Tab-separated table of all heavy atoms in Angstrom:
chain	number	residue	atom	x	y	z
A	12	TYR	N	-24.404	15.462	-31.387
A	12	TYR	CA	-24.765	14.915	-32.690
A	12	TYR	C	-24.985	13.396	-32.598
A	12	TYR	O	-24.285	12.690	-31.848
A	12	TYR	CB	-23.656	15.201	-33.696
A	12	TYR	CG	-23.494	16.677	-34.040
A	12	TYR	CD1	-22.641	17.465	-33.307
A	12	TYR	CD2	-24.152	17.241	-35.106
A	12	TYR	CE1	-22.417	18.790	-33.583
A	12	TYR	CE2	-23.960	18.592	-35.416
A	12	TYR	CZ	-23.107	19.370	-34.653
A	12	TYR	OH	-22.932	20.700	-34.938
A	28	GLN	N	-22.333	17.735	-3.823
A	28	GLN	CA	-23.440	18.278	-3.048
A	28	GLN	C	-23.315	19.825	-2.928
A	28	GLN	O	-22.205	20.323	-2.690
A	28	GLN	CB	-23.420	17.685	-1.614
A	28	GLN	CG	-23.822	16.235	-1.586
A	28	GLN	CD	-25.287	16.009	-1.764
A	28	GLN	OE1	-25.675	15.298	-2.735
A	28	GLN	NE2	-26.104	16.564	-0.949
A	56	VAL	N	-13.640	37.792	-23.476
A	56	VAL	CA	-14.415	37.063	-24.469
A	56	VAL	C	-13.616	36.998	-25.748
A	56	VAL	O	-13.164	37.996	-26.316
A	56	VAL	CB	-15.744	37.745	-24.698
A	56	VAL	CG1	-16.518	37.127	-25.835
A	56	VAL	CG2	-16.586	37.726	-23.412
A	60	ALA	N	-14.273	32.852	-34.735
A	60	ALA	CA	-14.480	33.159	-36.114
A	60	ALA	C	-15.257	32.053	-36.797
A	60	ALA	O	-16.024	31.328	-36.165
A	60	ALA	CB	-13.154	33.438	-36.846
A	82	ASN	N	-5.673	32.550	-7.681
A	82	ASN	CA	-5.150	33.678	-6.911
A	82	ASN	C	-3.627	33.770	-6.800
A	82	ASN	O	-3.057	33.921	-5.721
A	82	ASN	CB	-5.746	33.657	-5.500
A	82	ASN	CG	-5.682	35.010	-4.817
A	82	ASN	OD1	-5.620	36.035	-5.474
A	82	ASN	ND2	-5.673	35.018	-3.527
A	87	SER	N	-0.828	34.278	-13.487
A	87	SER	CA	-1.981	34.257	-14.341
A	87	SER	C	-2.268	35.598	-15.030
A	87	SER	O	-3.075	35.685	-15.952
A	87	SER	CB	-3.255	33.859	-13.593
A	87	SER	OG	-3.487	34.723	-12.528
A	114	GLY	N	-15.255	20.518	-35.350
A	114	GLY	CA	-15.901	20.156	-34.108
A	114	GLY	C	-14.995	19.334	-33.237
A	114	GLY	O	-13.964	18.799	-33.659
A	127	THR	N	0.864	17.880	-24.578
A	127	THR	CA	1.794	19.022	-24.427
A	127	THR	C	2.298	19.155	-22.998
A	127	THR	O	2.962	20.142	-22.670
A	127	THR	CB	1.040	20.326	-24.837
A	127	THR	OG1	-0.123	20.486	-24.056
A	127	THR	CG2	0.707	20.345	-26.307
A	134	ARG	N	-0.165	33.546	-26.125
A	134	ARG	CA	0.823	34.463	-26.650
A	134	ARG	C	1.980	33.756	-27.342
A	134	ARG	O	2.687	34.352	-28.166
A	134	ARG	CB	1.316	35.419	-25.521
A	134	ARG	CG	0.188	36.270	-25.042
A	134	ARG	CD	0.524	37.112	-23.825
A	134	ARG	NE	-0.679	37.689	-23.276
A	134	ARG	CZ	-0.797	38.905	-22.782
A	134	ARG	NH1	0.230	39.739	-22.816
A	134	ARG	NH2	-1.967	39.318	-22.348
A	137	ARG	N	-0.517	31.306	-31.112
A	137	ARG	CA	-1.724	32.062	-31.410
A	137	ARG	C	-2.665	31.327	-32.379
A	137	ARG	O	-2.252	30.490	-33.167
A	137	ARG	CB	-1.339	33.417	-32.015
A	137	ARG	CG	-0.577	34.331	-31.033
A	137	ARG	CD	-0.443	35.747	-31.496
A	137	ARG	NE	0.257	36.556	-30.516
A	137	ARG	CZ	-0.308	37.138	-29.472
A	137	ARG	NH1	-1.618	37.008	-29.299
A	137	ARG	NH2	0.372	37.878	-28.652
A	187	SER	N	-25.182	19.900	-8.788
A	187	SER	CA	-23.753	19.641	-8.849
A	187	SER	C	-23.030	20.770	-9.562
A	187	SER	O	-21.903	21.167	-9.146
A	187	SER	CB	-23.489	18.328	-9.593
A	187	SER	OG	-23.788	17.239	-8.750
A	205	TYR	N	-30.257	26.576	-31.410
A	205	TYR	CA	-31.346	26.786	-32.343
A	205	TYR	C	-31.201	28.161	-33.001
A	205	TYR	O	-30.408	28.979	-32.519
A	205	TYR	CB	-32.702	26.639	-31.640
A	205	TYR	CG	-33.027	25.229	-31.262
A	205	TYR	CD1	-32.387	24.621	-30.175
A	205	TYR	CD2	-33.925	24.480	-31.988
A	205	TYR	CE1	-32.673	23.314	-29.827
A	205	TYR	CE2	-34.214	23.161	-31.638
A	205	TYR	CZ	-33.580	22.590	-30.582
A	205	TYR	OH	-33.859	21.278	-30.228
A	207	ASN	N	-32.834	30.918	-33.052
A	207	ASN	CA	-33.009	32.147	-32.289
A	207	ASN	C	-31.907	32.404	-31.269
A	207	ASN	O	-31.750	33.489	-30.799
A	207	ASN	CB	-34.380	32.160	-31.603
A	207	ASN	CG	-34.493	31.092	-30.531
A	207	ASN	OD1	-33.887	30.032	-30.550
A	207	ASN	ND2	-35.353	31.339	-29.538
A	227	HIS	N	-23.033	23.309	-29.243
A	227	HIS	CA	-22.130	24.459	-28.954
A	227	HIS	C	-21.663	24.385	-27.491
A	227	HIS	O	-22.393	23.971	-26.592
A	227	HIS	CB	-22.876	25.764	-29.193
A	227	HIS	CG	-22.062	26.974	-29.066
A	227	HIS	ND1	-20.852	27.140	-29.755
A	227	HIS	CD2	-22.204	28.117	-28.330
A	227	HIS	CE1	-20.317	28.345	-29.457
A	227	HIS	NE2	-21.117	28.914	-28.602
A	266	ARG	N	-33.901	23.624	-15.860
A	266	ARG	CA	-34.832	22.913	-16.742
A	266	ARG	C	-34.086	22.075	-17.758
A	266	ARG	O	-34.732	21.516	-18.647
A	266	ARG	CB	-35.728	23.929	-17.422
A	266	ARG	CG	-36.573	24.801	-16.537
A	266	ARG	CD	-37.741	24.078	-15.928
A	266	ARG	NE	-38.593	24.967	-15.092
A	266	ARG	CZ	-39.549	25.759	-15.599
A	266	ARG	NH1	-39.808	25.726	-16.935
A	266	ARG	NH2	-40.269	26.485	-14.819
A	272	GLU	N	-27.670	21.008	-18.903
A	272	GLU	CA	-27.293	20.463	-17.602
A	272	GLU	C	-26.992	19.006	-17.604
A	272	GLU	O	-26.808	18.362	-16.573
A	272	GLU	CB	-28.427	20.792	-16.538
A	272	GLU	CG	-28.419	22.280	-16.195
A	272	GLU	CD	-29.779	22.813	-15.825
A	272	GLU	OE1	-30.728	22.001	-15.667
A	272	GLU	OE2	-29.909	24.052	-15.737
A	284	GLY	N	1.332	27.340	-6.112
A	284	GLY	CA	1.319	28.302	-5.025
A	284	GLY	C	-0.015	28.889	-4.761
A	284	GLY	O	-0.259	29.520	-3.735
A	288	PRO	N	-7.440	22.826	-6.554
A	288	PRO	CA	-8.788	22.272	-6.478
A	288	PRO	C	-8.886	21.156	-5.432
A	288	PRO	O	-7.944	20.372	-5.265
A	288	PRO	CB	-9.047	21.697	-7.885
A	288	PRO	CG	-8.077	22.455	-8.758
A	288	PRO	CD	-6.878	22.730	-7.911
Side-chain angles (χ1 to χ4, degrees):
Y12 293 88
Q28 290 287 120
V56 174
N82 201 25
S87 60
T127 57
R134 294 173 192 220
R137 295 192 179 277
S187 285
Y205 289 75
N207 66 332
H227 186 51
R266 301 284 184 85
E272 287 150 12

